[in-house]
Amino acid sequence: MSTRSRSGGGGGFVGAVRADVQRLHGAWMEIVFPRQRGRGHSVMGKWQPESLPQKVAYHGWSALGVVGLLLLYPLTVLGLATRYYAAKLDSTRTRLGIVGVTGIALLGWGLLTIAWGAMSYMEQVDIPLEAVLAVAAASGVATVATALAASATKVGGRGTTVVFAYPFAMTALFLPPVVAALVTPSLHPYILDPSYEFAAWALDNVLVVGGLNEFLRSNFTLEGAAYAGMWLGISFPLGWFFGIVVALANLVRPSQ
């Protein structure tokens, strides 16, 4: 077995990359042309163009796919890494169930809130009550988002996981510190001020298409709860992005 792997050049990292690229390119070719992933059509054989128009279209589509792979394969690697860690979390969710995962999130954040509250009453530690309230508010947001992500995963189906589970997981990551900062002025320089700078950069460099930046500036003011709305709006497309790259990774290397 080892001799065949060496002779075929299919072993190790290089062989894995080559196999991934072949699967992606074969899937791309099958969008237009039949029987392009040879292993799945070993009896009939891989379809080949015969006429000149077929050859031009075939090789043109193939070249376009190669260009696309230069962008897609790095996303596939990211998807494989995301899938690995998501699988670890999903394994934990399967063992504990939705109630268990939610309970752990509630317990962890609750203990942190209690600890901060206890320290605020100690003379040696000067922690304002607003900081304790900030942690409590953040714990509520994180717990609800965690429960929603776990519920969406349990429902099953790749579409449900991509559309709901990943965005709610991102919400559990992004929203708690923002909620904490909204009720704790001392946290503004560390969370809200950088958020404002990021929003200004996005409006000037990313959301310029179709005058979207001007629409947002004219109709919305980034203050108060709008910060939470901004990061909630970011968490969903970012979650969809990670869900899509995981789906791409599943196409290249199906989960065992």
Side-chain angles (χ1 to χ4, degrees), residues 8-254:
F13 176 77
V14 175
V17 171
R18 179 180 296 145
D20 290 344
V21 170
Q22 288 174 344
R23 290 192 193 99
L24 275 175
H25 193 262
W28 167 259
M29 295 301 293
E30 282 193 341
I31 294 176
V32 176
F33 303 98
R35 303 197 315 272
Q36 293 302 298
R37 285 178 284 190
R39 184 175 298 177
H41 305 284
S42 56
V43 176
M44 299 181 66
K46 183 178 179 180
W47 181 88
Q48 295 291 339
E50 297 179 357
S51 65
L52 181 59
Q54 286 181 343
K55 291 180 180 179
V56 171
Y58 184 88
H59 293 295
W61 187 253
S62 176
L64 188 60
V66 170
V67 173
L69 281 174
L70 296 177
L71 298 175
L72 280 180
Y73 191 72
L75 295 179
T76 301
V77 174
L78 177 61
L80 290 169
T82 303
R83 186 179 72 178
Y84 173 80
Y85 291 106
K88 295 291 184 182
L89 294 175
D90 187 58
S91 176
T92 302
R93 194 273 309 162
T94 301
R95 291 196 301 270
L96 299 177
I98 297 175
V99 175
V101 171
T102 305
I104 289 178
L106 183 61
L107 177 64
W109 281 98
L111 290 176
L112 181 60
T113 304
I114 293 172
W116 276 55
M119 288 190 296
S120 68
Y121 287 99
M122 297 173 59
E123 296 181 357
Q124 297 87 347
V125 182
D126 184 18
I127 298 179
L129 178 60
E130 65 181 13
V132 180
L133 295 177
V135 175
S139 69
V141 172
T143 301
V144 171
T146 300
L148 290 173
S151 300
T153 303
K154 183 175 177 59
V155 168
R158 185 171 298 174
T160 302
T161 301
V162 171
V163 174
F164 295 107
Y166 283 98
F168 282 132
M170 293 293 103
T171 301
L173 178 65
F174 287 145
L175 228 53
V178 177
V179 173
L182 288 175
V183 294
T184 310
S186 59
L187 294 177
H188 288 189
Y190 306 102
I191 297 175
L192 298 190
D193 289 352
S195 295
Y196 186 91
E197 294 174 0
F198 172 77
W201 175 86
L203 288 172
D204 293 335
N205 297 276
V206 179
L207 302 176
V208 295
V209 179
L212 182 58
N213 56 346
E214 295 300 329
F215 171 80
L216 292 174
R217 282 194 169 103
S218 300
N219 293 275
F220 299 96
T221 301
L222 190 57
E223 60 182 18
Y227 282 101
M230 181 188 81
W231 283 107
L232 179 64
I234 292 174
S235 66
F236 269 74
L238 188 61
W240 291 330
F241 169 76
F242 281 113
I244 290 172
V245 297
V246 169
L248 180 62
N250 289 334
L251 173 66
V252 177
R253 296 188 192 176

